[in-house]
Amino acid sequence: DTGVSQDPRHKITKRGQNVTFRCDPISEHNRLYWYRQTLGQGPEFLTYFQNEAQLEKSRLLSDRFSAERPKGSFSTLEIQRTEQGDSAMYLCASRRSGTGDSEQYFGPGTRLTVT
Amino acid sequence: AQTVTQSQPEMSVQEAETVTLSCTYDTSESDYYLFWYKQPPSRQMILVIRQEAYKQQNATENRFSVNFQKAAKSFSLKISDSQLGDAAMYFCAYRRAGANSKLTFGKGITLSVRP
């Protein structure tokens, strides 16, 4: 069990550029979550996958954001035409389904800075 | 909608002393889970303790225990024998029972430990 990994750990981009983040969940976990955490705040839910199906999207996920999990393993989160307000830590978490009370395990996050 | 409130932004405790972190929540659900997560500086979020709403007994994990008051919708974390490694941000979180298992977090509290 190598834990949840995220890549890159840090990303600096100019406003208007597109960025893509990757999350590799724990191998037997079929549920995957994306959260966004801004400075001084708790994480906020963005979206959730069960296997390859995206089952829920938050209102925070504007049409500039898209997430995929094509084979039910790793996931990508893309932000198009980045804005300064997108600067945040993007957290990924995974969870094993089948047991209603299993916990979510978090990755280290990708810190995005939009200049 | 569920909300989680942590009204204390910062707390400080002397090493080896006890500290209590407060959290209140609001939900219309009867079956849910409550969590305390720890986020050390520049490190990933880890679960400290969890409480199932249907259990009357307060959860305990070594030096960490909770005071769960369901009627008052209060969920405080007590850290006994505080250690320097306990210094971190602590987030209270809520999750409804069932398939839709996203976490709703409070704003967090920064705990410092004085040697």
Side-chain angles (χ1 to χ4, degrees):
Chain A
D1 180 354
T2 57
V4 179
S5 62
Q6 293 186 245
D7 183 69
R9 295 290 304 277
H10 303 274
K11 179 71 176 179
I12 300 174
T13 191
K14 293 185 178 180
R15 189 176 55 189
Q17 298 294 305
N18 299 343
V19 294
T20 300
F21 310 140
R22 176 177 170 129
C23 170
D24 286 89
I26 294 172
S27 58
E28 68 268 24
H29 289 186
N30 65 346
R31 295 189 177 184
L32 187 147
Y33 306 80
W34 286 99
Y35 295 85
R36 182 173 70 185
Q37 184 179 18
T38 53
L39 200 61
Q41 302 294 319
E44 295 174 292
F45 171 77
L46 292 178
T47 190
Y48 147 60
F49 290 86
Q50 180 167 320
N51 299 313
E52 65 275 11
Q54 188 174 19
L55 298 186
E56 185 176 351
K57 293 194 292 186
S58 162
R59 292 172 300 170
L60 294 174
L61 214 64
S62 75
D63 55 5
R64 296 185 298 106
F65 288 70
S66 63
E68 294 183 341
R69 195 181 182 199
K71 297 183 179 180
S73 56
F74 72 91
S75 175
T76 58
L77 178 67
E78 181 183 16
I79 309 174
Q80 296 182 327
R81 305 182 303 280
T82 53
E83 302 172 356
Q84 287 188 322
D86 297 331
S87 296
M89 176 77 85
Y90 290 84
L91 298 170
C92 177
S94 70
R95 173 175 172 243
R96 186 179 63 238
S97 72
T99 53
D101 61 353
S102 61
E103 68 175 275
Q104 292 184 21
Y105 291 83
F106 282 83
T110 293
R111 182 168 294 284
L112 173 66
T113 302
V114 182
T115 62
Chain B
Q2 295 82 21
T3 59
V4 177
T5 303
Q6 294 179 254
S7 56
Q8 308 155 302
E10 297 179 352
M11 286 199 74
S12 180
V13 63
Q14 189 76 36
E15 193 176 6
E17 297 295 308
T18 295
V19 65
T20 298
L21 311 182
S22 301
C23 173
T24 59
Y25 61 95
D26 190 23
T27 182
S28 58
E29 303 287 337
S30 59
D31 194 11
Y32 53 87
Y33 302 90
L34 296 166
F35 307 85
W36 279 97
Y37 279 87
K38 172 184 178 181
Q39 189 176 41
S42 301
R43 296 183 63 184
Q44 64 201 80
M45 195 167 312
I46 58 173
L47 180 66
V48 175
I49 197 166
R50 58 180 284 157
Q51 174 79 44
E52 292 86 346
Y54 64 86
K55 290 186 177 179
Q56 292 187 337
Q57 187 173 9
N58 289 323
T60 300
E61 289 286 343
N62 300 315
R63 298 182 297 108
F64 300 88
S65 61
V66 299
N67 183 4
F68 172 48
Q69 302 290 326
K70 191 172 184 179
K73 296 182 180 174
S74 169
F75 183 62
S76 60
L77 174 69
K78 185 172 81 171
I79 306 175
S80 304
D81 186 26
S82 297
Q83 301 175 359
L84 295 178
D86 294 334
M89 280 208 73
Y90 286 82
F91 293 97
C92 179
Y94 164 98
R95 174 166 71 79
R96 191 180 71 181
N100 180 359
S101 55
K102 66 185 179 187
L103 289 164
T104 300
F105 287 87
K107 288 188 175 182
I109 178 170
T110 301
L111 177 67
S112 58
V113 181
R114 304 186 303 275

